Amino acid sequence: MYLVVLRLVILFAILSVIYIALSAYARYDERKRLQSEHSAGAGGGLSREDYIDRGMAVYERSWQKKALYGVFVFPMAVAVVLILIANYW
């Protein structure tokens, strides 16, 4: 049982690193997209920083950011299911 918990903790740590990297990249990519939109004239009279700040606030509440939690959910669910199958079937 100790090894199972240890492996789940290690898996969680690895998934945390992957999540942080993907989250940082997604924020960087969104910021670049907003900068290019503002440069193309989609600012609507706002300054560049205000436009980017508002766009990033919208991104923080978007489904795209929430979808990154799938990095934790799916691998951990598969691991738990495999452990249950190996132990009880």
Side-chain angles (χ1 to χ4, degrees):
M1 182 67 183
Y2 173 73
L3 288 176
V4 171
V5 172
L6 179 65
R7 287 179 181 167
L8 286 176
V9 169
I10 291 171
L11 177 63
F12 186 77
I14 291 169
L15 292 175
S16 296
V17 170
I18 292 170
Y19 173 79
I20 291 169
L22 284 175
S23 180
Y25 177 74
R27 288 184 54 80
Y28 169 78
D29 195 37
E30 183 68 16
R31 185 172 292 278
K32 292 296 269 187
R33 185 186 67 77
L34 289 167
Q35 288 174 352
S36 66
E37 277 184 8
H38 187 269
S39 296
L46 294 173
S47 70
R48 184 180 187 98
E49 286 302 314
D50 288 338
Y51 182 75
I52 292 172
D53 288 341
R54 285 186 183 188
M56 291 305 290
V58 170
Y59 172 74
E60 290 297 322
R61 295 184 308 268
S62 71
W63 65 269
Q64 293 168 336
K65 181 165 170 64
K66 291 176 180 78
L68 286 175
Y69 291 121
V71 169
F72 288 111
V73 173
F74 296 121
M76 292 296 274
V78 167
V80 168
V81 167
L82 288 175
I83 289 169
L84 289 174
I85 289 172
N87 286 329
Y88 296 110
W89 277 355

